[in-house]
Amino acid sequence: MEPYRYKLCLLIDDNFIDNFVTRKILETSFFAETIVVIQSAVEAIAQLQAKAIEPDVIFLDIRMPLMDGFQFLKEYDSLNHGEGKRVKIFMLSSSLDPGDFQLSTQNKHITQFIHKPITKKVLEDL
């Protein structure tokens, strides 16, 4: 059995099918010991604020109802992150809008922009 690369991975995406596929790829790649899937950025912020989950890695969709990925990042920025631990956030999107890519590269929390669907090859390259 391969060692896991991360302890907890948070997947935030409102699309059930995308979540199913991404979760399976993360599991078969031994990416994280625990994978938590939340279908709402609002709920994810609430869970992070309550310290109910403390992820090492977040995969964040851009286009979601109520709160999109960029709005999530603004709220995330206001959370008390504690000293030292930097969470890697990967922006996931099927969007071909160059503005989305540009905004993600300008955000200090985004480690990398990844086009959906995520693949094992992409995970290996992270």
Side-chain angles (χ1 to χ4, degrees):
M1 184 173 184
E2 295 181 43
Y4 293 103
R5 290 172 44 193
Y6 297 99
K7 188 156 183 63
L8 194 144
C9 174
L10 174 59
L11 173 58
I12 306 168
D13 193 329
D14 64 311
N15 186 300
F16 177 82
I17 300 296
D18 287 344
N19 286 336
F20 180 80
V21 170
T22 302
R23 180 184 199 121
K24 285 295 176 200
I25 291 169
L26 290 169
E27 287 172 350
T28 59
S29 300
F30 299 96
F31 190 77
E33 193 175 314
T34 304
I35 299 164
V36 175
V37 178
I38 299 179
Q39 289 186 267
S40 157
V42 173
E43 176 63 23
I45 286 293
Q47 294 289 320
L48 291 165
Q49 208 163 26
K51 300 208 185 297
I53 52 174
E54 294 186 16
D56 303 297
V57 178
I58 297 173
F59 286 97
L60 175 65
D61 186 29
I62 292 178
R63 312 245 181 215
M64 294 180 283
L66 301 178
M67 179 186 287
D68 69 22
F70 295 112
Q71 292 165 324
F72 169 89
L73 290 168
K74 284 181 187 169
E75 290 294 319
Y76 180 82
D77 203 31
S78 69
L79 297 177
N80 183 4
H81 301 295
E83 294 302 315
K85 183 179 178 185
R86 185 180 187 292
V87 176
K88 291 183 178 184
I89 300 178
F90 298 100
M91 186 68 88
L92 285 177
S93 183
S94 53
S95 169
L96 298 175
D97 182 348
D100 287 342
F101 178 77
Q102 184 68 28
L103 279 173
S104 72
T105 60
Q106 294 170 350
N107 189 290
K108 67 182 179 184
H109 297 294
I110 299 298
T111 302
Q112 188 175 331
F113 184 94
I114 300 171
H115 286 283
K116 288 183 190 178
I118 199 164
T119 64
K120 279 190 171 193
K121 172 80 171 103
V122 168
L123 288 178
E124 289 168 6
D125 293 343
L126 295 181

